[in-house]
Amino acid sequence: MNLNFEYYKVFYYVSKYGSLTRAASVLMTSQPAVTRTIHNLENEIGCRLFIRSKKGVELTPEGRMFYEYISAACAQIFKGENLLTSMVSLDNGTVCISATETALHCCLFQAVEKFNRQYPNVRFKLLNNSTIDSIQALKAGRIDMAVVSSAPLQVEHPLKIKTLRKYRDILIGGNKFLHLKGKKTSLENLRDYPWISLTSESITRDFLNHYFSEHGLIFDPDIELATTDMILPAVRCNLGIGFIPEEFAEDDVRRGTLFEIPVEEKLPERNIYLIYDTEYPQSIASKTFQNFLAQ
């Protein structure tokens, strides 16, 4: 036999309540539809499952035996449905995000903290990856969304991209370069200072290379680091000066450990982007967080 689960579900509720009318009410359907389903089930199985009684219907001996198994199966299915609903809801959901380092510091950490104040039972799985790796993870269905600090050259359907916010980089220095504090300086005058930056493979490095090139200069840093957060300790140790997203340096600048060096040539603002798959089934928690980010 290859019966529809709805047959068993109708049988379960008719058996449980001993009433076709009550079962129809719970299933939000009509009594004739319930009666028709029971008749179809009996024809498929080849035996009588119910007999009419003064109060409604009663199970036959075959029906009672059958109900023992169907009720146990339905209990497990309903339990699984309730657990799954809880897992994908705002009561017990999980949101998986791949994000770049800058996106984490400039946007995502703060957003997750604020979101959890409203929905404390939602859990987050955060992965720190490059923009390219984040998009690959999204295409493979391993994450719910990507939050990145550089827009890919092309985002094809079914992926969709939204701009979340802007951020700016600032030039920072340590005590060795205090003579630059508060004094607006041109890139030309800064070209011979020791520079600290990310490696040539990074998108940020491409951004700075282009920025210097637009002003007729070549960007050739003395120290190349793999991650943005490593620039801070290098600058604190007076190994050089370097550009960094403002959010990374705000604590050091507030404490006076580091300071911003004003630059005459304005550095363009950059964006944080949300990328998601329009055909990927999103949980309630994931959809709610996406809307929260876009506000």
Side-chain angles (χ1 to χ4, degrees):
M1 289 183 293
N2 186 20
L3 297 178
N4 191 315
F5 172 68
E6 287 300 314
Y7 283 16
Y8 298 131
K9 191 174 180 180
V10 171
F11 170 77
Y12 169 79
Y13 280 110
V14 173
S15 303
K16 180 177 180 180
Y17 295 113
S19 167
L20 297 170
T21 304
R22 182 79 182 277
S25 176
V26 172
L27 293 167
M28 292 183 289
T29 188
S30 65
Q31 181 177 329
V34 170
T35 302
R36 187 164 54 251
T37 298
I38 293 299
H39 287 165
N40 289 340
L41 177 61
E42 289 176 330
N43 288 334
E44 288 287 343
I45 290 178
C47 71
R48 191 82 177 268
L49 298 173
F50 294 97
I51 56 174
R52 291 191 176 275
S53 68
K54 293 181 180 179
K55 295 182 180 180
V57 293
E58 293 181 358
L59 288 165
T60 63
E62 294 84 358
R64 285 195 296 272
M65 181 277 297
F66 194 49
Y67 178 67
E68 288 182 16
Y69 291 93
I70 296 301
S71 61
C74 284
Q76 290 300 310
I77 292 172
F78 297 154
K79 182 179 179 181
E81 289 178 342
N82 291 334
L83 181 59
L84 183 60
T85 299
S86 174
M87 288 178 66
V88 300
S89 73
L90 293 171
D91 293 327
N92 192 25
T94 299
V95 183
C96 186
I97 307 170
S98 181
T100 60
E101 184 185 17
T102 300
L104 286 169
H105 281 274
C106 296
C107 175
L108 208 52
F109 286 149
Q110 301 92 323
V112 169
E113 180 186 19
K114 291 179 181 178
F115 188 82
N116 271 152
R117 290 175 191 166
Q118 296 183 43
Y119 308 105
N121 294 325
V122 173
R123 298 185 63 181
F124 285 86
K125 183 177 180 181
L126 302 180
L127 308 174
N128 180 204
N129 288 311
S130 67
T131 295
I132 294 174
D133 288 342
S134 295
I135 292 175
Q136 290 301 320
L138 187 62
K139 289 180 177 179
R142 297 194 299 269
I143 58 174
D144 297 310
M145 67 192 82
V147 182
V148 299
S149 50
S150 56
L153 295 177
Q154 189 175 8
V155 174
E156 299 177 350
H157 183 78
L159 299 188
K160 188 171 182 179
I161 184 169
K162 288 184 178 180
T163 301
L164 295 179
R165 56 154 292 188
K166 294 183 179 296
Y167 73 97
R168 75 182 189 104
D169 293 272
I170 61 173
L171 182 60
I172 57 171
N175 294 331
K176 181 179 178 180
F177 307 101
L178 272 176
H179 57 281
L180 296 173
K181 185 176 182 180
K183 179 182 177 182
K184 187 169 284 191
T185 310
S186 68
L187 286 178
E188 176 67 32
N189 291 333
L190 293 169
R191 64 185 303 175
D192 293 328
Y193 280 79
W195 282 86
I196 303 169
S197 183
L198 296 180
T199 60
S200 58
E201 295 81 14
S202 68
I203 295 177
T204 293
R205 178 65 174 277
D206 288 339
F207 172 75
L208 291 175
N209 287 343
H210 182 69
Y211 167 65
F212 274 75
S213 178
E214 280 189 330
H215 295 93
L217 300 170
I218 296 175
F219 186 48
D220 185 22
D222 301 82
I223 297 177
E224 298 185 8
L225 301 169
T227 60
T228 303
D229 60 355
M230 291 305 297
I231 295 176
L232 280 174
V235 176
R236 289 192 202 109
C237 292
N238 293 306
L239 301 182
I241 59 176
F243 282 105
I244 196 169
E246 189 173 15
E247 283 80 356
F248 279 74
E250 58 186 1
D251 288 339
D252 281 274
V253 172
R254 185 170 56 251
R255 291 193 303 263
T257 311
L258 302 174
F259 61 90
E260 180 179 355
I261 301 171
V263 181
E264 289 181 359
E265 296 83 357
K266 185 177 181 181
L267 190 68
E269 288 185 319
R270 294 197 278 171
N271 295 317
I272 303 292
Y273 301 95
L274 167 68
I275 306 175
Y276 59 96
D277 189 332
T278 57
E279 295 182 354
Y280 181 81
Q282 299 282 338
S283 67
I284 295 173
S286 179
K287 288 180 181 178
T288 305
F289 186 65
Q290 279 191 17
N291 294 332
F292 181 85
L293 283 175
Q295 292 175 357

